[in-house]
């Protein structure tokens, strides 16, 4: 197979900074949006802090050894809410750090041929992000939670169960096919690390 042309996220016009402090969401999303078949978005050594990112069909991502895509700890960086699925329920949830495809239970695949490889890491915002998403979940679902009255006792952890369902994942794969993860370390998602819904060949 012919080696892909690398789109280095640290070079112009993206100029992402892998210092673990600079927020790179806009720059990284532009690199993913610009990626064409035969190209690969390339992360060299460094820690690239970011909020939610979307991948489109025919995208390859190379995360070099000692390179990390690192999710922020703030729920605001994972808005707007998107269609997802939690504990068997289709519902609106926070976006995940990496989003592949869009959930639509009434149609087929809308994203395909994704590769993420290279020896590096995808690390989420962990417990701080988890807590922030749950606290905001209380606010978003406040009217529904209050409407339940005593029925709230039917939930495993009461209102916390309902609020917790809104959490994003580390990697969310919806209505997608042909997705390959090779030699990548995934950790510290605010909910499940890798969640695939209505998808095949992952």
């Amino acid at each position: 197979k012919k080696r892909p042309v690398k789109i280095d996220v640290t070079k112009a016009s993206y100029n992402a900074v892998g210092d673990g402090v600079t927020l790179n969401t806009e720059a990284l999303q532009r690199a993913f949006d610009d990626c064409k078949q035969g190209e690969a978005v390339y992360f060299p050594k460094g820690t690239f802090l970011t909020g939610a990112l979307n991948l489109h069909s025919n995208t390859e991502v190379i995360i070099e050894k000692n390179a990390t895509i690192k999710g922020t700890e703030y729920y605001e960086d994972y808005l707007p809410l998107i269609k997802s699925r939690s504990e068997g329920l289709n519902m609106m949830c926070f976006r995940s750090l990496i989003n592949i495809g869009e959930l639509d239970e009434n149609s087929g695949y809308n994203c395909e041929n994704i590769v993420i490889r290279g020896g590096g890491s995808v690390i989420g915002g962990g417990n701080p992000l988890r807590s922030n998403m749950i606290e905001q979940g209380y606010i978003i679902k406040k009217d529904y939670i209050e409407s339940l009255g005593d029925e709230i006792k039917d939930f495993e952890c009461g209102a916390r169960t309902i609020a917790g369902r809104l959490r994003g994942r580390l990697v969310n794969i919806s209505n997608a096919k042909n997705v390959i993860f090779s030699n990548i370390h995934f950790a510290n998602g605010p909910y499940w690390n890798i969640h695939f819904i209505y998808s095949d060949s992952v």
Side-chain angles (χ1 to χ4, degrees):
K1 181 183 176 181
K2 186 178 179 181
R3 290 184 177 178
V5 175
K6 292 180 180 178
I7 300 175
D8 189 328
V9 298
T10 65
K11 306 298 185 185
S13 62
Y14 310 107
N15 301 314
V17 181
D19 61 2
V21 177
T22 303
L23 186 62
N24 295 288
T25 311
E26 183 180 349
L28 299 183
Q29 188 60 62
R30 281 194 290 111
F32 286 128
D33 290 345
D34 290 348
C35 186
K36 302 177 182 66
Q37 197 160 8
E39 298 178 333
V41 178
Y42 175 71
F43 289 81
K45 180 180 179 181
T47 298
F48 297 88
L49 188 66
T50 181
L53 299 166
N54 295 334
L55 274 60
H56 61 73
S57 291
N58 304 309
T59 297
E60 183 168 355
V61 183
I62 301 173
I63 307 171
E64 196 66 68
K65 183 180 179 182
N66 299 320
T68 299
I69 297 176
K70 176 71 171 70
T72 76
E73 299 177 356
Y74 305 105
Y75 77 85
E76 295 93 338
D77 294 323
Y78 303 89
L79 291 172
L81 302 181
I82 60 169
K83 289 182 179 179
S84 192
R85 187 173 176 89
S86 176
E87 298 182 332
L89 301 171
N90 286 0
M91 58 189 299
M92 300 300 289
C93 297
F94 288 100
R95 294 166 70 202
S96 299
L97 180 57
I98 293 178
N99 300 273
I100 298 170
E102 297 178 6
L103 188 145
D104 185 346
E105 64 271 30
N106 298 312
S107 71
Y109 310 115
N110 52 51
C111 191
E112 58 185 355
N113 306 326
I114 302 291
V115 176
I116 301 178
R117 63 179 179 88
S121 301
V122 178
I123 307 296
N127 277 329
L129 178 59
R130 174 180 175 270
S131 296
N132 288 335
M133 285 182 169
I134 290 174
E135 291 306 313
Q136 186 63 19
Y138 282 123
I139 296 171
I140 293 170
K141 302 297 287 186
K142 179 176 181 290
D143 290 344
Y144 173 65
I145 290 169
E146 290 179 351
S147 75
L148 290 171
D150 285 344
E151 291 181 23
I152 198 74
K153 297 173 184 176
D154 295 338
F155 292 83
E156 182 181 8
C157 296
R160 189 171 182 83
T161 295
I162 297 168
R165 287 175 176 160
L166 275 68
R167 286 173 288 160
R169 292 60 161 151
L170 184 66
V171 181
N172 186 67
I173 308 165
S174 296
N175 290 73
K177 69 174 181 177
N178 301 334
V179 178
I180 297 173
F181 301 143
S182 177
N183 193 24
I184 292 291
H185 176 63
F186 296 99
N188 294 356
Y191 207 168
W192 303 301
N193 276 338
I194 299 174
H195 188 197
F196 33 102
I197 317 163
Y198 307 135
S199 296
D200 287 306
S201 299
V202 179

